[in-house]
Amino acid sequence: MDPRRRRKLKWVLYTVAATIVAIAIGANFDVPEKQLERKIEHLHGVGSAQFRREVASLLGPAVVNGNHVEAYNNGVEIFPAMLEAINSAEQTINFETYIYWSGDVGRQFAEAFAAKAREGVKVNVIIDWVGGLKMDEELLAMMEDAGARVELYRPLEWYNISRLNNRTHRKLLVIDGKVGFTGGVGIADVWSGNAEDPQHWRDMHFSVRGPVVSQMQAAFNDNWIKSTGEVLHGPAYFPPQPEAGDMDAQVFVSSPVGGGATMHLMYLMAIAAAEKSLDIHASYFVPDELAVDALQAAIRRGVKVRILVPGKHIDSETVRIASKKLWGPLLEAGAEVYEYKPTMMHVKMIIVDDFMVSVGSTNFDERSFQLNDEASLNIYNREFALAMREVFERDLRRTETYDHQKWSERPWTEKFMETAIIPLRSQL
């Protein structure tokens, strides 16, 4: 072949390859086709039968009665409860997480999963590939050699590079189909302790018993099917569910594949239904314009909006900068914003009218609304909501108020950075 034709062909092939890579990378910035574009109007409260009907119909899973939910604060309470549940397993353990790092906590969980697998318990583990990059191969080998099935969610492969940005952020643990856990913690040493210093984070996790655990099991199955093509079923996974308490609850999921707007819709519906108060723990608070408008509308109709966010101790400074940019209109409207001082605050919880509580893996940001696989637990129970409000009030005592004057006087360097970061906020 003529050298000039060879060079031309080579550059054509390079161009085609570069175009394919650019398209694949660009696909990671796509958002789901089903998106919300208009504000949801306030028609009824979260305690009404109408809200219950709509939230069940639009989010998918029904609101079921007969549940009991228990809250745990920080690793000092959370990890012993989870490990005790794992050690009690007789038939099945299903576990899904975003963060799994090496360290003391990571080893404790790997050893617990391995021990139960050796006893004959069916142990199924999903770890997000990106979130598990800091995990030693030794821990994976320990679990797999014992008989546990471990799946890395969407590892980097040529055929799924267009979905590299779509991670599982879900945090689920289901024991024998009867006991479930969800909340904010990952498997890493930063979650150990009692939020006593910047090296030990503030977070919450929740144990669940009752019929809603079957919905949690279905949430795990969603990504197990995506990872393996297998459905986990039978009485070992979905046993009869006796009543465990008097709480109404539902577990629902969102994913950019098939219903990416679910989590966004739930947040907007809850805000639209608020009549008295919205208390929000938001570890990453980067709402879109629709959520900001919804919060402003709630304030205008007399709802007291309080937002608790991390202070200087945060694991993503870009998130902090992008978040602050959005506080101005909310502060001007009358929202109260508080920065948590002692350590990184990683709690994800919204309390509406001291009646509805939503917890789980979901952050109040566009990544959780549009790109991540998430799972949330909604509890409709006044006694539980009032208990969570006490937790919120207790955390407020360790904060510093951030008012509109502070926002107006933030350094010019911060304002400059906001300009560059805000267009990328869906990726934060």
Side-chain angles (χ1 to χ4, degrees):
M1 183 184 291
D2 179 71
R4 287 179 297 180
R5 291 187 64 190
R6 189 182 299 113
R7 286 196 297 271
K8 185 176 181 180
L9 177 60
K10 183 170 68 174
W11 281 108
V12 169
L13 292 174
Y14 284 160
T15 301
V16 170
T19 301
I20 292 172
V21 171
I23 291 172
I25 293 173
N28 280 280
F29 290 81
D30 280 350
V31 295
E33 182 178 348
K34 185 173 78 174
Q35 290 193 78
L36 300 168
E37 297 179 353
R38 297 189 180 185
K39 185 180 72 175
I40 298 174
E41 298 297 332
H42 171 72
L43 298 177
H44 40 254
V46 291
S48 68
Q50 183 65 30
F51 180 82
R52 192 82 57 96
R53 280 192 293 271
E54 291 182 4
V55 79
S57 300
L58 291 170
L59 302 184
V63 179
V64 292
N65 187 249
N67 306 287
H68 178 75
V69 181
E70 188 166 347
Y72 298 95
N73 287 282
N74 304 323
V76 68
E77 293 180 4
I78 295 165
F79 292 139
M82 293 176 71
L83 289 167
E84 182 181 356
I86 291 168
N87 292 334
S88 74
E90 297 178 350
Q91 297 187 77
T92 61
I93 297 172
N94 286 347
F95 178 70
E96 180 173 359
T97 189
Y98 175 65
I99 292 293
Y100 199 130
W101 296 345
S102 292
D104 292 340
V105 173
R107 180 166 294 278
Q108 287 175 31
F109 274 79
E111 289 175 348
F113 290 138
K116 298 310 291 189
R118 283 191 293 269
E119 291 178 12
V121 173
K122 294 177 181 179
V123 179
N124 308 299
V125 176
I126 300 173
I127 301 170
D128 187 81
W129 178 75
V130 170
L133 286 174
K134 294 182 182 180
M135 183 184 188
D136 289 341
E137 290 290 331
E138 174 205 355
L139 298 183
L140 288 172
M142 179 194 303
M143 292 187 283
E144 290 176 331
D145 290 348
R149 298 179 63 185
V150 182
E151 296 291 331
L152 296 181
Y153 192 74
R154 289 192 177 145
L156 178 60
E157 302 287 356
W158 67 268
Y159 53 80
N160 69 2
I161 193 171
S162 64
R163 293 187 179 179
L164 183 63
N165 203 20
N166 303 140
R167 312 312 315 171
T168 179
H169 195 244
R170 296 173 187 171
K171 299 168 178 69
L172 300 167
L173 172 64
V174 185
I175 309 296
D176 293 333
K178 299 176 181 178
V179 181
F181 286 82
T182 191
V185 299
I187 306 303
D189 289 351
V190 292
W191 276 280
S192 63
N194 197 26
E196 66 268 25
D197 56 48
Q199 286 70 50
H200 300 88
W201 290 5
R202 166 78 183 107
D203 213 335
M204 295 188 72
H205 226 62
F206 303 82
S207 69
V208 188
R209 292 179 181 270
V212 80
V213 176
S214 295
Q215 296 180 358
M216 193 174 290
Q217 191 77 288
F220 176 87
N221 242 314
D222 179 59
N223 275 345
W224 187 257
I225 294 168
K226 290 177 188 175
S227 299
T228 69
E230 175 189 17
V231 178
L232 301 173
H233 66 109
Y237 292 102
F238 291 94
Q241 295 286 5
E243 290 190 0
D246 61 353
M247 298 183 186
D248 294 349
Q250 66 181 153
V251 171
F252 60 97
V253 300
S254 68
S255 171
V257 180
T262 307
M263 208 59 70
H264 194 201
L265 174 61
M266 188 283 291
Y267 270 65
L268 293 175
M269 289 178 70
I271 294 169
E275 296 178 331
K276 296 178 181 178
S277 62
L278 277 165
D279 291 331
I280 302 169
H281 271 102
S283 50
Y284 306 99
F285 183 71
V286 193
D288 65 346
E289 287 84 358
L290 207 54
V292 171
D293 289 346
L295 289 168
Q296 289 176 308
I299 294 168
R300 286 195 296 270
R301 65 174 180 270
V303 177
K304 184 176 183 178
V305 175
R306 300 187 294 180
I307 306 165
L308 200 162
V309 298
K312 65 179 181 179
H313 299 296
I314 189 170
D315 63 332
S316 176
E317 188 60 28
T318 54
V319 168
R320 179 171 161 80
I321 291 170
S323 181
K324 277 192 177 180
K325 169 70 174 177
L326 305 170
W327 297 357
L330 292 173
L331 290 166
E332 195 169 21
E336 301 173 17
V337 176
Y338 302 89
E339 293 185 303
Y340 194 74
K341 294 168 62 178
T343 185
M344 169 64 184
M345 193 285 297
H346 199 256
V347 181
K348 309 156 197 314
M349 179 164 64
I350 178 169
I351 309 167
V352 186
D353 289 346
D354 292 337
F355 180 76
M356 172 188 170
V357 180
S358 185
V359 298
S361 63
T362 308
N363 291 312
F364 206 127
D365 63 11
E366 291 186 48
R367 169 165 282 280
S368 279
F369 292 161
Q370 297 178 347
L371 296 175
N372 287 342
D373 287 6
E374 303 281 6
S376 279
L377 167 67
N378 285 357
I379 305 106
Y380 305 89
N381 181 273
R382 188 164 301 281
E383 184 178 351
F384 183 79
L386 289 172
M388 292 307 97
R389 184 178 181 180
E390 287 184 17
V391 172
F392 187 86
E393 299 282 357
R394 188 164 64 240
D395 281 345
L396 280 188
R397 294 197 286 270
R398 307 184 78 187
T399 65
E400 183 176 331
T401 303
Y402 194 97
D403 57 24
H404 193 267
Q405 182 176 347
K406 283 185 183 178
W407 184 82
S408 300
E409 296 174 353
R410 64 199 189 285
W412 71 268
T413 51
E414 211 170 273
K415 296 178 182 178
F416 176 79
M417 288 294 293
E418 292 169 357
T419 305
I421 291 171
I422 281 292
L424 301 174
R425 66 185 181 183
S426 68
Q427 307 299 312
L428 298 179

